[in-house]
Amino acid sequence: MKDQYALALGDDALVLAQRLGEWVARAPELEEDVALANIALDLLGQARTLLTHAGELEGAGRDEDALAYWRDDRDFRNVLLVELPNGDFAQTMARQLVFAAYQYELYDRLRASTDATLAAVAGKAVKEVHYHRDHATQWVLRLGDGTDESRRRMVAGLDTVWPYVDELFDDGGNPGPALVAEGVAVDPATLREPWTAYVGTVLAEAGLEPPAGAAPRGGGRRGLHTEHLGYLLAEMQHLHRTHPGATW
Amino acid sequence: MAGTDEREAAFYAIVDSDGRIEPRDDMPEAYRKTLIRQIAQHAHSEIIGMQPEGNWISRAPSLRRKAILLAKVQDEAGHGLYLYAAAETLGVSRDQLLELLHTRRQKYSSIFNYPTLTWADVGAIGWLVDGAAITNQVPLTRCSYGPYARAMVRICKEESFHQRQGFESLLTLTRGSAAQKAMAQDALDRWWYPSLAMFGPPDTGEQVSGGHTEQSMRWGIKRFSNDELRQRFVDMTVPQSEVLGLTIPDPDLRWNDERGHYDFTAPDYDELFRVIKGDGPCNAQRLAHRVAAHTEGAWVREAAAAYAAKQRAKTQTEAA
Amino acid sequence: MTSAEWPLWEVFVRARRGLSHLHVGSLHAPDAAMAVRNARDVYTRRGEGVSIWVVPSDQITASSPDEKDAFFDPAGDKVYRHPTFYEVPAEAKHL
């Protein structure tokens, strides 16, 4: 099960890196192209270490590329939030705030993991994610309290991503109580409170409300995804799969 | 106040002694205009150049290659940014320069109007296009205009990784499967002549005197002629192609003992001029992409500016 | 409508402890908070610094070019400010 946990965290980072990579050469300003690429690179780095670790734990000889390129969407363990299309810049920033705030609390605690590799990944990643959270915070403040249009878009962006928030804190069998008890994994339910405190403060400062009333969506950790993931993977995997066994 | 002649003499005294002109120095208006055009064109090339390579970020065939490519395209955004900033020291704004790009009144390197059809094209761009760019840029680190020269020092330092990763990526392909090797050769076949054309039209013979090149050399903006740089690039690249085991698509390419250089077939300059004029395979696509990014980002830039204005107003009210 | 072109900022980076902040370039940002973040991404991608300053470009006061000679020429004859002015015996190390 440990490998499934590492896989889930790795898939989150990989799929979001893939989405953020789509922004490159499309950002609102050059400085932002650089910033979004930085965040994508951090996430990709986390994904590579986590997938490599998952492969080692599995012990079937699969490396990061075997896991990234040769699994179908039913075998991906990421939360649905990260696979959603980018939408506009406001929607991307809404997701960044939600996800980075979650990842920050997660990695902050995972530093104490009894699994040395997970603890090491978390130790490095927590600093990166602190910056991602700050970056998203700055933008949510500016878009929420900028112009009428930016506010309207920020509200719409939050509405779009909000149904996918609950899944972040839903254990759903991964990691499961045993791994948490062993001190390997963090029970995601425990992250909800600090997450709510942080995100709530940012939204309040931006004059925004957490959206209410949307039915929560989930299933990603069990391989039940949105239709979007299939296309994301088709694009990501096609070249690698066209040349089986090739070295790049 | 010094007279015009005296100030011009001071300018040439600095340039002639290989010194650096700085933003607040007096400079001939034509020097300033030439620099703005050249630096802007260079900056535009960096940001348009993000597209052909960015085209493969989502499909990179390994996570390692994906990370390298992302970092490289990110560097290009950074380089564009350094260069726009250098141009801004001459009294134009980045917005003005982007407007000139978006309305086709300023150019960017013609090379980026060719499509990246396979993964090997990413390697070929690193090896050939960045190789040609470095050949062009290294002399610019000694350019007479300080901010431009300093930006180029920074850029050249960062670019060296670009060329190496391109070469290494192609080397991996040529040592791989038959399909990978064919992909690499096909990329070289398509990128060779456009890369040679990156050095611009010939400026030997008649055109070297009295023309643009001579003026730029007098000003210390240009140190070598287009043809000298093109030759330098060919001499450097041919042995590298041998290491790769790829064939440069030029039957007349051979070492000339007498000249101490390779003889080679010149690129089709008519094609170069057609592409520069807007008739390349991807001109319309590249510009439309750039304009769309800028237009779609307008509300974000406005929101951030509005927020900053509100915060300033708040601070002033509190202070009052 | 607020002008949407973000102002220009000058960026200074301290490469490591013990050194001064040095001017490394400039960038555009809507405000100081974003400027310092953008500076981190743009100018320290390769670990070039431990501390960043940003200053609005229009807040820098420069000596005017007309006064340049008056400002800087006198220093040219104060060679005693430069350590190479002083000849010391070769056996005196660490000076």
Side-chain angles (χ1 to χ4, degrees):
Chain A
M1 273 326 283
K2 231 197 213 186
D3 62 318
Q4 289 297 306
Y5 183 57
L7 202 56
L9 303 187
D11 284 350
D12 282 352
L14 174 61
V15 173
L16 187 54
Q18 182 78 2
R19 281 294 185 220
L20 289 176
E22 294 171 17
W23 269 107
V24 176
R26 287 194 169 76
E29 188 55 278
L30 267 182
E31 281 80 358
E32 203 49 35
D33 269 312
V34 179
L36 289 170
N38 250 2
I39 296 171
L41 274 170
D42 287 343
L43 289 166
L44 188 53
Q46 294 165 18
R48 294 181 62 192
T49 317
L50 287 163
L51 292 186
T52 300
H53 188 47
E56 286 161 1
L57 290 167
E58 182 193 49
R62 293 203 282 182
D63 63 10
E64 59 179 43
D65 286 339
L67 287 168
Y69 291 96
W70 289 99
R71 282 179 302 147
D72 293 333
D73 61 344
R74 294 284 280 111
D75 296 320
F76 268 74
R77 292 288 172 260
N78 58 281
V79 291
L80 304 185
L81 178 69
V82 294
E83 71 198 44
L84 297 179
N86 286 332
D88 64 8
F89 189 71
Q91 186 180 321
T92 293
M93 285 306 116
R95 168 167 57 198
Q96 283 305 111
L97 177 68
V98 164
F99 190 73
Y102 152 79
Q103 253 194 336
Y104 177 77
E105 302 300 338
L106 169 69
Y107 284 140
D108 185 38
R109 287 157 185 77
L110 199 61
R111 283 189 287 183
S113 173
T114 51
D115 179 295
T117 307
L118 289 179
V121 175
K124 177 168 186 287
V126 73
K127 289 180 230 151
E128 297 167 351
V129 171
H130 183 270
Y131 174 74
H132 304 174
R133 187 180 74 164
D134 175 65
H135 174 263
T137 300
Q138 297 300 326
W139 274 114
V140 170
L141 291 177
R142 280 158 185 75
L143 300 181
D145 190 19
T147 61
D148 290 345
E149 181 180 9
S150 72
R151 185 184 166 76
R152 179 179 60 71
R153 287 177 182 261
M154 198 62 238
V155 169
L158 288 167
D159 285 346
T160 304
V161 304
W162 216 256
Y164 301 90
V165 166
D166 279 8
E167 190 187 10
L168 298 171
F169 309 108
D170 177 13
D171 178 272
N174 186 352
L179 282 190
V180 173
E182 284 171 44
V184 170
V186 175
D187 177 1
T190 61
L191 306 177
R192 175 136 219 165
E193 199 184 302
W195 179 90
T196 306
Y198 183 84
V199 172
T201 308
V202 174
L203 294 186
E205 199 181 330
L208 298 161
E209 300 271 342
R217 308 286 309 277
R221 295 278 189 242
R222 286 174 288 125
L224 293 170
H225 292 277
T226 64
E227 289 180 348
H228 305 299
L229 184 65
Y231 290 94
L232 180 145
L233 295 181
E235 188 174 339
M236 186 176 91
Q237 296 175 335
H238 109 270
L239 174 60
H240 185 95
R241 289 194 182 198
T242 306
H243 301 266
T247 302
W248 302 96
Chain B
M1 195 69 187
T4 310
D5 288 351
E6 213 175 301
R7 284 188 287 165
E8 193 162 311
F11 167 83
Y12 280 110
I14 293 172
V15 168
D16 292 345
S17 63
D18 207 15
R20 296 289 173 269
I21 301 297
E22 294 296 344
R24 295 163 54 82
D25 290 340
D26 287 320
M27 59 185 91
E29 185 56 15
Y31 173 85
R32 196 181 72 88
K33 282 199 168 137
T34 300
L35 270 173
I36 289 175
R37 195 182 56 236
Q38 182 175 335
I39 300 172
Q41 181 169 328
H42 197 159
H44 300 331
S45 301
E46 294 283 354
I47 64 165
I48 295 286
M50 294 167 73
Q51 291 180 38
E53 290 176 278
N55 184 33
W56 283 91
I57 290 174
S58 67
R59 296 176 288 170
S62 73
L63 296 187
R64 177 173 162 264
R65 290 289 174 199
K66 191 191 289 289
I68 293 170
L69 185 56
L70 242 176
K72 176 170 191 275
V73 176
Q74 183 197 35
D75 273 349
E76 276 146 21
H79 296 172
L81 210 148
Y82 305 155
L83 288 162
Y84 284 122
E88 283 177 285
T89 62
L90 292 159
V92 283
S93 72
R94 190 198 292 179
D95 265 11
Q96 287 172 318
L97 298 176
L98 286 176
E99 175 67 15
L100 291 168
L101 167 67
H102 295 164
T103 52
R104 296 172 185 260
R105 283 175 291 165
Q106 278 183 345
K107 312 278 185 220
Y108 54 87
S109 177
S110 59
I111 193 81
F112 301 119
N113 290 316
Y114 292 88
T116 48
L117 301 177
T118 73
W119 169 252
D121 290 18
V122 173
I125 288 184
W127 175 42
L128 296 174
V129 176
D130 292 332
I134 292 169
T135 308
N136 260 329
Q137 288 167 1
V138 167
L140 288 174
T141 59
R142 295 189 292 121
C143 157
S144 64
Y145 189 58
Y148 191 25
R150 289 192 286 276
M152 291 319 305
V153 168
R154 212 177 165 87
I155 289 171
C156 284
K157 243 190 247 169
E158 300 185 355
E159 287 271 352
S160 59
F161 126 69
H162 294 182
Q163 197 196 4
R164 286 177 76 95
Q165 68 80 33
F167 184 84
E168 187 236 21
S169 175
L170 282 181
L171 189 63
T172 310
L173 293 180
T174 57
R175 289 176 174 173
S177 67
Q180 285 177 301
K181 184 161 185 187
M183 196 191 277
Q185 181 63 53
D186 169 59
L188 173 57
D189 290 347
R190 283 181 289 110
W191 289 93
W192 175 251
Y193 286 106
S195 299
L196 292 187
M198 281 176 73
F199 296 94
D203 48 13
T204 44
E206 289 282 298
Q207 294 176 53
V208 80
S209 59
H212 183 68
T213 297
E214 189 188 28
Q215 181 62 81
S216 287
M217 286 185 163
R218 173 75 184 87
W219 281 335
I221 297 176
K222 199 173 167 66
R223 302 267 171 185
F224 302 97
S225 74
N226 293 350
D227 289 316
E228 281 174 287
L229 291 169
R230 191 170 5 249
Q231 182 71 60
R232 189 178 294 181
F233 171 73
V234 170
D235 291 347
M236 175 186 83
T237 309
V238 173
Q240 293 170 352
S241 73
E242 287 160 6
V243 176
L244 289 172
L246 294 174
T247 309
I248 288 174
D250 179 359
D252 297 324
L253 181 77
R254 59 181 54 83
W255 178 256
N256 182 329
D257 236 352
E258 213 171 292
R259 291 203 308 127
H261 292 292
Y262 283 93
D263 291 336
F264 60 96
T265 305
D268 178 351
Y269 294 112
D270 292 338
E271 175 180 320
L272 173 66
F273 288 118
R274 277 199 305 277
V275 176
I276 289 175
K277 264 182 55 198
D279 233 358
C282 297
N283 295 60
Q285 177 191 338
R286 299 284 185 247
L287 204 59
H289 179 125
R290 173 90 264 293
V291 171
H294 191 72
T295 311
E296 284 160 25
W299 69 269
V300 178
R301 297 190 299 275
E302 282 161 16
Y307 176 86
K310 283 186 201 178
Q311 296 298 113
R312 276 196 304 275
K314 253 187 228 174
T315 318
Q316 279 162 11
T317 317
E318 279 159 21
Chain C
M1 180 89 289
T2 327
S3 158
E5 174 152 45
W6 297 344
L8 196 64
W9 301 74
E10 300 302 321
V11 180
F12 300 80
V13 170
R14 185 198 295 287
R16 57 174 193 274
R17 289 175 182 284
L19 298 180
S20 306
H21 285 77
L22 275 185
H23 184 242
V24 293
S26 48
L27 50 72
H28 286 269
D31 51 48
M34 292 303 277
V36 77
R37 285 162 178 83
N38 290 343
R40 168 196 180 271
D41 288 329
V42 173
Y43 287 104
T44 65
R45 291 199 300 289
R46 288 168 167 78
E48 293 96 332
V50 296
S51 164
I52 297 171
W53 288 347
V54 292
V55 181
S57 305
D58 61 10
Q59 293 296 305
I60 290 181
T61 306
S63 55
S64 80
D66 290 346
E67 289 167 10
K68 192 172 57 178
D69 288 350
F71 260 48
F72 300 119
D73 277 357
D77 58 11
K78 294 186 178 60
V79 286
Y80 46 82
R81 284 189 185 280
H82 298 276
T84 47
F85 177 73
Y86 304 94
E87 264 184 57
V88 294
E91 55 269 29
K93 305 285 187 207
H94 307 298
L95 273 171

